[in-house]
Amino acid sequence: MFFGGEDMLITNSRFQFSGFVFAILLLVSLACGESLEKSNLQEQGTSVKVIGPDTVTISSSDKTNVDEIEKTTPSFTSDQIVEAYESILGEIYSTSLPSIVRIEISRSMSSNQSNLDSIPPQFRRFFNPNDVPRRNVPNGQGSGFVWTANGHIVTNHHVVDGADRIKVIFSEGTEYNATILGSDATADIAVLKIDSPDTDFIPLSLGDSSSVKVGQLAIAIGAPFGQEFTMTTGIISALGRTIPSAGTPFANPEVIQTDAPINPGNSGGPLFDRHGNAIGINSQIASRSGSSAGVGFSVPIDTAKRIVPELIEIGKYTYSYLGIQGIDLRPDMALAKGLDRTTRGVLVISTLDDNGPAARAGIIPNDEVVQIEGQRYPVGGDVITSVEGSQITGMADLLTYLTNETRPGDKISFEIIRRDGNKAKLDVILGVRPT
């Protein structure tokens, strides 16, 4: 479910914690008696023993080595280890807080009946609904963060979509009105401009989402349920998720999944790595209750780096367009088409536009369904197996490649398998995705 309501990229890390975090990991390993150092020392005939929760001793038949180890290997208590971890989280919070904002939006009442809500019911018959002035009603909130020193704020599209008035609030209480410069519903990204001539806003430090790995620490800061500037922590649960877009028929690929608690009001806020660099923009949750169930989704910061400059410059981002509807080719479908069951790709179900890029290039959609043991299988369409030499295993791969690697007007080479099983190559000039 959804929830919520460049001039220069700052890519250098504001936090030099890598060595510190490594030290913490080493300390945890030492405290558990399971460190890599222990394994290496044991291979060399050195024994490592955990005497208790507070001390680690190392002994060896080689007295010289023991002396050197004792000089370079400190002893840490469990409390010191936890304190170091807490120190990192606190430093990330305090350093990033000046760059994070709470966003409040209001929309004008749209119906004449709604305009009468402020008038007691017994008096409404004396008023012509058209004479009642429209008024803004606060009815949405979310989070965001500073992108440039000139006051560009990045948030989610669905947080500010349809807003008539937007207020940006910093942690120290300063409030600004803001306007929407540009918005992209597919990626669920919007850029606001603070209504102020100031140029000393502090941009958030941006990371590299392409280097994120499952299991890494994830930290979210936002305003869940209006509880402003709240920090929650978890891990990166999965990568490469494809999720529905906000109000478009197109999906959003390569999304980060996290179990860091994300709730209504977190939308548009940053997701950090352990160095305090933003690696994602919190966007959606999967939940039956409307609250965090441990499955949250963040738009990768690399996606924002690609899209935000165009939103600032021209107010929109233009995607390339192939013009097909397809499904993943499963083993049972491959067998029904007479192909090897290990064949993977995208089975073209339909072309969305008779004069679209795919149709013009000669890509053939499905036109036949067979029934095998009670199951119906589409077998008549082309199967796309690669794009520009990159293997395609399903729709997620195809969508990711088109989104990240191509722009409208690009000429792209596709390898396909025809209905008769023969392979072919087709060149397609990509169009502009309709909005």
Side-chain angles (χ1 to χ4, degrees):
M1 63 171 289
F2 292 101
F3 57 82
E6 169 136 328
D7 301 335
M8 180 176 69
L9 295 181
I10 308 300
T11 57
N12 58 304
S13 172
R14 191 176 299 165
F15 307 99
Q16 302 299 323
F17 288 138
S18 58
F20 192 32
V21 172
F22 175 78
I24 289 180
L25 297 179
L26 177 60
L27 299 182
V28 173
S29 299
L30 288 172
C32 298
E34 296 291 341
S35 69
L36 293 176
E37 183 67 18
K38 173 182 175 181
S39 300
N40 294 336
L41 290 172
Q42 286 177 333
E43 290 179 1
Q44 300 169 13
T46 302
S47 63
V48 180
K49 297 180 181 179
V50 179
I51 303 303
D54 295 336
T55 59
V56 177
T57 63
I58 303 174
S59 61
S60 172
S61 56
D62 188 334
K63 185 65 170 63
T64 302
N65 289 343
V66 172
D67 292 340
E68 292 176 355
I69 293 171
E70 288 178 346
K71 291 178 181 178
T72 59
T73 307
S75 175
F76 294 90
T77 67
S78 57
D79 184 68
Q80 289 173 323
I81 295 171
V82 174
E83 182 182 9
Y85 174 71
E86 292 173 343
S87 177
I88 288 181
L89 294 181
E91 187 68 19
I92 290 174
Y93 183 83
S94 61
T95 308
S96 62
L97 200 59
S99 305
I100 300 174
V101 300
R102 177 165 62 93
I103 296 173
E104 291 184 355
I105 70 165
S106 58
R107 297 182 177 91
S108 295
M109 288 189 171
S110 58
S111 68
N112 290 335
Q113 182 61 45
S114 295
N115 291 336
L116 294 174
D117 285 349
S118 61
I119 301 173
Q122 64 268 32
F123 298 119
R124 289 177 186 173
R125 63 190 178 93
F126 297 107
F127 290 85
N128 181 341
N130 293 323
D131 294 336
V132 179
R134 293 168 63 87
R135 62 189 179 91
N136 288 331
V137 178
N139 56 4
Q141 63 181 357
S143 304
F145 57 90
V146 178
W147 188 267
T148 71
N150 292 329
H152 294 107
I153 303 293
V154 169
T155 185
N156 285 148
H157 163 84
H158 76 263
V159 169
V160 297
D161 186 32
D164 294 304
R165 184 177 180 182
I166 302 172
K167 184 185 296 184
V168 171
I169 306 168
F170 284 83
S171 60
E172 85 285 359
T174 306
E175 299 184 5
Y176 298 92
N177 291 327
T179 55
I180 302 174
L181 278 187
S183 191
D184 176 30
T186 298
D188 200 16
I189 295 174
V191 177
L192 312 178
K193 178 64 174 67
I194 290 176
D195 296 339
S196 169
D198 295 344
T199 59
D200 57 354
F201 296 99
I202 304 174
L204 196 66
S205 180
L206 305 182
D208 176 9
S209 54
S210 67
S211 64
V212 172
K213 293 181 173 57
V214 173
Q216 290 182 347
L217 183 67
I219 303 160
I221 300 180
F225 301 112
Q227 302 306 304
E228 56 192 21
F229 309 109
T230 297
M231 169 185 277
T232 55
T233 64
I235 63 168
I236 302 299
S237 306
L239 298 170
R241 296 302 195 203
T242 299
I243 60 175
S245 294
T248 79
F250 303 99
N252 195 2
E254 291 294 286
V255 170
I256 298 169
Q257 180 182 328
T258 179
D259 71 349
I262 297 173
N263 286 291
N266 276 112
S267 284
L271 186 73
F272 293 101
D273 62 15
R274 68 178 183 268
H275 303 292
N277 296 318
I279 54 173
I281 306 171
N282 298 320
S283 175
Q284 297 184 31
I285 58 174
S287 173
R288 297 182 185 275
S289 66
S291 300
S292 175
V295 183
F297 301 102
S298 294
V299 178
I301 202 66
D302 289 358
T303 299
K305 290 177 183 178
R306 185 179 70 250
I307 292 174
V308 167
E310 293 197 20
L311 296 183
I312 292 175
E313 184 176 355
I314 61 175
K316 64 179 181 178
Y317 184 82
T318 306
Y319 291 87
S320 62
Y321 180 62
L322 178 59
I324 68 164
Q325 180 182 16
I327 58 175
D328 296 352
L329 183 70
R330 303 190 308 268
D332 51 355
M333 296 165 57
L335 291 175
K337 285 180 63 67
L339 303 174
D340 189 279
R341 65 178 294 111
T342 62
T343 305
R344 293 292 181 270
V346 171
L347 175 61
V348 180
I349 298 299
S350 65
T351 51
L352 300 178
D353 184 350
D354 291 339
N355 194 36
R360 289 199 306 269
I363 292 179
I364 300 173
N366 176 68
D367 60 358
E368 182 182 355
V369 176
V370 299
Q371 185 164 323
I372 302 176
E373 297 181 353
Q375 295 290 325
R376 293 169 60 85
Y377 298 96
V379 296
D382 288 340
V383 176
I384 299 174
T385 58
S386 76
V387 180
E388 290 291 305
S390 297
Q391 184 177 4
I392 299 297
T393 62
M395 278 297 295
D397 287 348
L398 180 59
L399 180 61
T400 298
Y401 187 92
L402 293 176
T403 300
N404 295 344
E405 305 296 336
T406 68
R407 297 305 303 269
D410 287 351
K411 184 177 181 180
I412 303 298
S413 177
F414 290 83
E415 292 185 9
I416 64 175
I417 301 177
R418 294 291 194 184
R419 103 180 331 176
D420 58 9
N422 290 325
K423 297 181 179 180
K425 286 188 177 183
L426 290 178
D427 289 334
V428 180
I429 299 177
L430 300 176
V432 177
R433 180 189 288 181
T435 57

